[in-house]
Structures are given as structure tokens and as C-alpha cells.
């Protein structure tokens, strides 16, 4: 049996980690989990119920309401869901409620690719390859604006930049599993890279790292 391969992609909002993770998952035929969707789903459910985002126990209990269908809901990709996700993601009880599911996903026999904020540090600290994907805030905001403006024509790039800065700050400063680069991660800055060039860089990092294990 071939050895499992676990690859962790972490990084700030709209850095391109999801796109890179899914392309590398296709290359290697590995299952992939976008862990941000789990936090988005909880934030979305809580917002729909008009509940208090700061009620730790009630928000964490929503982890058991996440279904595969909910994770396909396009509303989870919206601007509001990203903001709610970052609020609920700072609650330690929420992180605990989602942790084992992510660990089990990472530990399946084939291995897996996960993208998020704390994959290389908390969920899969022994991952074979860890890539920390980043880009300048203005570049990330522009990319995210291009995605969101289709459904929200009045949205301005500056509003998206403000959202991203707020989220970066909250995600990096929280006490529970903050966004930070694992010591053994490779930094991939996509500020000046198009999608295909970034994918080539990521492929090379995976090959190099696998070779060194
Ligand atoms: O796509 P984008 O990078 O904007 O966001 P995402 O990956 O879907 O994550 C949404 C929010 O969930 C982030 O701002 C984080 O606060 C939180 N998150 C987290 O705390 N840990 C993860 N492993 C993934 C997401």
C-alpha cells in the first residue's frame, strides 16, 4: 500500500489557498476539505436563526447540524458568511467541536489535502507538506472583489479590502488557534503570480518536500 500523503494549506483570506489545494488534490487524486466552509456553515446557521454570535455553547452546538448539502449552499461563499465565520471561529468551543472531524479527514488511509488557518499547526501538525499561502492585502481584496461583485454589483474594492483587513486582524490575534505559519511550512507568496504560475510553484514545493521525507 502506498504511504498516505497529507498536505496542509494555510493562509489569510483570499490568498488563493483553496484554488491551489483543489488543483493539487486533483493531481494526486486525494480527497480535499475546505475547512473554512465548516466555520462558514456555523456562522450562517446562527445568522439565519438571528442568534447571538457570542453565545459560545449555542454556536458550538450547531456543529452537529452541518450536513454535506449545507456545505454546497452558495450562500456560504458570500461576504456575510465570511465575516460570521471569522467571528465564530474565534470561539474555542467552536474549534473544539470541529476538530475531530478534521483530524479524521486528514488521517484517512490515502491521506488528504486540507485548507484553512490552523491545519499545519493544530489539525495536522505531522503533515508531509505544509504550504502557507499569502499575498498582499490589496491583491487579495481585488481577487475576492472579482468573485463577489457578480452577485453584489454595488460592492466596491475598498469595502472588500476593509473586510479582509478586519478578518486578518481577528484571525491572527485570537487566542485559540490563531492564523500563523507553522515553523516547518514553506511560504508561497502569490502577490505577483497568476493562477497557473502559483500552481506550478505549489507543485514544486510538494515534490521537493515529498522527496525530503
Ligand atoms: O476563503 P477565505 O480565505 O476568505 O475564508 P475561509 O477559508 O472560508 O475562512 C473563513 C473564516 O473561517 C476565516 O476568516 C477564519 O476566521 C475561519 N477559519 C478558521 O478559523 N480556521 C480554519 N481552519 C478555516 C477557516
Amino acid at each position: 500500500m502506498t504511504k498516505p500523503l497529507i498536505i496542509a494549506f494555510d493562509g489569510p483570506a483570499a490568498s488563493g489557498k483553496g484554488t491551489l489545494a483543489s488543483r493539487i488534490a486533483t493531481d494526486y487524486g486525494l480527497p480535499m476539505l475546505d475547512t473554512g466552509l465548516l466555520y462558514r456553515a456555523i456562522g450562517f446557521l446562527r445568522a439565519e436563526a438571528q442568534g447571538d454570535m457570542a453565545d459560545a455553547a449555542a454556536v458550538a452546538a450547531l456543529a452537529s447540524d452541518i450536513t454535506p448539502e449545507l456545505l454546497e449552499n452558495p450562500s456560504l461563499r458570500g461576504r456575510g458568511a465570511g465575516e460570521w465565520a471569522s467571528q465564530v471561529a474565534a470561539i474555542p468551543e467552536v474549534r473544539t467541536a470541529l476538530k475531530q472531524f478534521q483530524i479524521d479527514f486528514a488521517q484517512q488511509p490515502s491521506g488528504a489535502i486540507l485548507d484553512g488557518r490552523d491545519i499545519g499547526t493544530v489539525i495536522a501538525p505531522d503533515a508531509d507538506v505544509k504550504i502557507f499561502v499569502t499575498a498582499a492585502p490589496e491583491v487579495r481584496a481585488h481577487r475576492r472583489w472579482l468573485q463577489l461583485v457578480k452577485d453584489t454589483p454595488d460592492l466596491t474594492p475598498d469595502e472588500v479590502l476593509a473586510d479582509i483587513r478586519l478578518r486578518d486582524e481577528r484571525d491572527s490575534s485570537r487566542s485559540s488557534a490563531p492564523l500563523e505559519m507553522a515553523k516547518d511550512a514553506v511560504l508561497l507568496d502569490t502577490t505577483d503570480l497568476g493562477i497557473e504560475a502559483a500552481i506550478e510553484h505549489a507543485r514544486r514545493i510538494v515534490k521537493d518536500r515529498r522527496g525530503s521525507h
Side-chain angles (χ1 to χ4, degrees), residues 6-8 103 106-107 114 118-128 130:
I6 302 178
I7 306 178
I103 292 175
Q107 297 297 333
L114 292 86
D118 61 343
I119 308 305
T121 49
V122 175
I123 301 297
D126 296 328
D128 302 283
K130 300 180 186 179

Side-chain angles (χ1 to χ4, degrees), residues 11-15 17 34-37 39-40 82 85-86 89 95 102 115-119 144 167 171 174:
S15 54
K17 59 192 184 304
D34 172 354
T35 64
L37 278 181
Y39 297 91
R40 285 172 177 262
S86 141
R95 307 203 72 86
Q102 297 176 78
D115 84 88
R117 301 290 189 289
D118 61 343
I119 308 305
R144 182 51 50 90
R167 236 157 22 98
D171 291 349
R174 69 184 177 217

Side-chain angles (χ1 to χ4, degrees), residues 74-90:
S75 300
L76 297 192
R77 311 265 174 195
R79 185 180 171 207
E83 169 59 24
W84 299 321
S86 141
Q87 291 179 27
V88 302

